[in-house]
Amino acid sequence: MGDEAITRLARAAYRLSAADSRLRGRATRSAEALSLAHARALKSLAEHGPMTVNQLAGHVETTGAAVTQLVNGLANAGYVTRERAASGDRRTSIVALTDAGRRRHEEREEILATGLRELTQDLDEHAIDAAGVVLDRLATLYDRL
């Protein structure tokens, strides 16, 4: 791949990062907007059921402190509940989806699927798979930066 192609890819990566920042900004101002981190948390809870904050942090691929902030926002929006663990450990709470949280997750998944279908309608399956590979590798690169 030539330098020009790498430059175009880098520009696209920066645009994606900027779009994520704008989405995070909207999510702090509006309960209707979910950041990607909020959406990952709802998805993890929908797929795996109630879990501790630390377990959720593993699924969301971030720190326990960051997930605590996510959970606070999701709880304030009525999307999750937090209850003390049955073990009686006051530091451990179990996070679970509410019915509203499950509906919001399902709405978000449908919007994402529809948007991805629209964005990729002119691409064949191999191109879509290649895009997925690039995004996965980009995530690995971001972790190294």
Side-chain angles (χ1 to χ4, degrees), residues 32-141:
E32 289 78 43
L34 286 180
S35 72
L36 294 174
H38 287 111
R40 283 194 316 272
L42 293 180
K43 183 176 183 64
S44 295
L45 291 166
E47 290 178 351
H48 303 286
M51 61 184 80
T52 67
V53 168
N54 284 337
Q55 289 169 326
L56 186 56
H59 286 280
V60 176
E61 300 182 50
T62 192
T63 65
V67 167
T68 296
Q69 288 183 333
L70 282 175
V71 168
N72 288 341
L74 292 170
N76 289 340
Y79 296 148
V80 301
T81 59
R82 280 177 300 213
E83 295 183 15
R84 294 283 172 224
S87 67
D89 183 351
R90 292 177 44 194
R91 297 168 297 163
T92 303
S93 59
I94 304 297
V95 181
L97 275 182
T98 63
D99 289 341
R102 185 165 303 283
R103 282 191 305 276
R104 184 65 177 107
H105 161 68
E106 290 168 355
E107 280 174 10
R108 177 64 180 262
E109 288 290 292
E110 184 56 36
I111 291 168
L112 181 62
T114 299
L116 287 171
R117 279 188 211 96
E118 289 171 3
L119 290 173
T120 60
Q121 66 186 347
D122 62 332
L123 301 175
D124 65 24
E125 194 170 320
H126 296 293
I128 294 168
D129 289 343
V133 169
V134 170
L135 288 171
D136 283 341
R137 290 178 183 178
L138 193 56
T140 300
L141 174 60

Side-chain angles (χ1 to χ4, degrees), residues 16-39:
L16 182 61
S17 177
D20 178 53
S21 293
R22 290 189 299 273
L23 178 57
R24 276 185 281 131
R26 285 192 307 274
T28 63
R29 296 185 304 275
S30 168
E32 289 78 43
L34 286 180
S35 72
L36 294 174
H38 287 111

